Amino acid sequence: MSFDAASLTNAAIGDLRAYDPGHDLPALRLRFGAAIAVLGSNENPLGPSPRARAAAQIALANIHRYPDPKGGALKAALSRRLNVDRDRIALGNGSHELLMLLAQCFADAAHEVIYSQYGFAVFMLAAAASGARATAIPSLPANHPAMPLGHDLDALAAAIGKATRLVYLANPNNPTGSWFDDDALAAFLDRVPPQVLVVVDEAYHEYVDAPGLSSALQFAERHPNLVVTRTFSKAYGLAGLRVGYAVAHPSVIAVLERLRESFNVNGVALAAAEAALEDPGHLARVREFNRSERAWLAAELARRGYRTLPSQTNFLLLDLARDATLLERHLFEHGVIVRPMGGYGLAHALRISIGRRDENLRLLEALP
Ligand SMILES: Cc1ncc(COP(=O)(O)O)c(C=O)c1O
């Protein structure tokens, strides 16, 4: 009889499938070099601060050493910048790791984890890996006048029951680009019982400029059950180095620390992230570029008859109102990589990251 480990998995992950990165980008880059526009992964086309690159270079001298397992210098820099104590910060190998760890540490088969339909895909994965029941709450409708496909915070609050242990929210959310403001979050948090952890994923926080939306961090004192995650992968331009962080009550952080892999963030990443924090000028340029380029691209797409959803992120969700497979293929053949959304149940949509102007022009020129 042939061996197949698929029949040996734990019950929780039996139905899961491996991450689908879309196209094989390393192979495509080898084949086409600069002749492709990669607009599928919500990366920062301007890259990191030169100071972060320089710090990474210096840190290379020590790659024969284990990194600081506590990430002390980066935590100190974050603590200063965010004005939170160091014992409220956990570092992760990307915020993805922390999102997984939260469910693993706090939920099991006796619990339920809830999140919004079209919420970031890792929420479902984290819930499944923990063994908890995963419940997706219907999003706002696609024709909602203010926030199509956004999180329905009323429905999410109403869905919290005795077994609920964790709620994941993404603000702004990937792949919809949608968001909710501080007042809406405050009202939501007031409805959540203290034994339910609310994780607000702020991966795109640095891009936000919507009135009324700052950050969930302001509610941390009032709501010790609140966890905020952020990343250096987006506006800080360090996706390749994998650094994220969580800010939460010290007792939440202490639990995460029990299971966190000792050297989860490597030394080059720690050094680069710390240096990136010290260059607010670069971050401001990234924000401004993204804001104006996103508005320009949305307008150019609209001029050509393509509808995009409102976005506070570094990407646009294009709603084709019909199956988007052919368009994705067509763009691919013209060297423009975008992300199909069938895996999210949005087969009519494509997610398009804001690239450099030449990449965005390439996209526009390739459109049928
Ligand atoms: C909403 C959201 N959260 C978290 C992440 C994970 O980012 P990272 O693991 O690179 O920090 C992403 C990445 O795309 C994201 O879109």
Side-chain angles (χ1 to χ4, degrees):
M1 206 176 73
S2 66
F3 177 78
D4 183 0
S7 62
L8 309 178
T9 62
N10 71 37
I13 69 157
D15 291 335
L16 296 182
R17 271 177 288 154
Y19 174 68
D20 176 7
H23 296 285
D24 182 352
L25 287 176
L28 286 174
R29 283 201 175 97
L30 270 183
R31 203 169 125 204
F32 296 108
I36 50 169
V38 179
L39 304 177
S41 301
N42 301 343
E43 295 152 342
N44 178 347
L46 303 187
S49 155
R51 289 193 210 178
R53 279 191 200 280
Q57 286 289 347
I58 293 167
L60 282 177
N62 280 319
I63 55 173
H64 57 302
R65 304 282 182 204
Y66 281 105
D68 173 5
K70 292 186 189 289
L74 176 56
K75 278 192 192 167
L78 282 167
S79 159
R80 282 193 302 274
R81 187 145 301 268
L82 305 173
N83 200 19
V84 298
D85 291 340
R86 280 162 65 157
D87 62 358
R88 289 183 175 261
I89 302 171
L91 302 177
N93 189 253
S95 55
H96 185 144
E97 182 189 34
L98 294 164
L99 294 169
M100 297 296 290
L101 203 54
L102 280 157
Q104 233 182 320
C105 286
F106 290 101
D108 60 32
H111 299 125
E112 179 192 39
V113 173
I114 68 180
Y115 45 83
S116 176
Q117 180 187 21
Y118 312 126
F120 182 47
V122 167
F123 304 160
M124 181 277 285
L125 266 181
S130 74
R133 182 155 48 90
T135 307
I137 306 301
S139 72
L140 297 173
N143 61 358
H144 190 277
M147 206 50 70
L149 306 183
H151 286 16
D152 184 342
L153 291 182
D154 271 340
L156 282 154
I160 294 172
K162 281 202 172 59
T164 311
R165 176 50 65 79
L166 261 170
V167 182
Y168 284 106
L169 309 173
N171 198 25
N173 182 49
N174 172 17
T176 55
S178 58
W179 68 97
F180 43 88
D181 64 20
D182 296 340
D183 289 348
L185 178 61
F188 175 82
L189 289 169
D190 281 341
R191 292 177 66 181
V192 180
Q195 75 280 6
V196 177
L197 292 182
V198 177
V199 180
V200 181
D201 173 350
E202 294 190 348
Y204 298 93
H205 160 77
E206 294 82 5
Y207 290 116
V208 165
D209 58 11
L213 171 54
S214 49
S215 167
L217 276 184
Q218 64 189 296
F219 304 117
E221 286 294 327
R222 184 176 157 90
H223 296 282
N225 55 333
L226 172 69
V227 181
V228 180
T229 60
R230 292 195 187 157
T231 183
F232 285 90
S233 299
K234 306 297 175 184
Y236 285 104
L238 293 173
L241 287 182
R242 317 297 306 124
V243 201
Y245 60 94
V247 181
H249 189 267
S251 65
V252 171
I253 300 297
V255 172
L256 296 179
E257 287 294 325
R258 294 188 204 169
L259 215 54
R260 180 182 66 84
E261 193 248 302
S262 347
F263 302 105
N264 60 335
V265 185
N266 71 73
V268 178
L270 288 171
E274 189 189 341
L277 280 179
E278 305 304 331
D279 192 352
H282 182 78
L283 186 64
R285 282 189 289 281
V286 166
R287 277 169 59 92
E288 178 48 27
F289 170 80
N290 186 70
R291 190 194 59 73
S292 64
E293 196 68 11
R294 187 182 61 213
W296 175 81
L297 184 58
E300 289 297 317
L301 286 165
R303 223 156 56 76
R304 290 161 175 79
Y306 292 96
R307 170 183 184 245
T308 56
L309 270 51
S311 170
Q312 280 287 296
T313 63
N314 66 345
F315 60 84
L316 290 166
L317 192 71
L318 186 150
D319 180 9
L320 205 59
R322 60 176 186 280
D323 190 273
T325 316
L326 281 181
L327 178 59
E328 192 270 332
R329 197 72 226 164
H330 172 88
L331 292 173
F332 175 72
E333 259 134 39
H334 287 74
V336 179
I337 315 293
V338 299
R339 186 61 75 90
M341 289 284 111
Y344 271 95
L346 292 166
H348 52 88
L350 295 177
R351 198 191 63 199
I352 303 173
S353 308
I354 310 301
R356 298 185 312 264
R357 175 58 65 91
D358 62 300
E359 294 172 314
N360 301 331
L361 280 171
R362 212 175 152 145
L363 162 77
L364 293 172
E365 281 155 17
L367 284 171

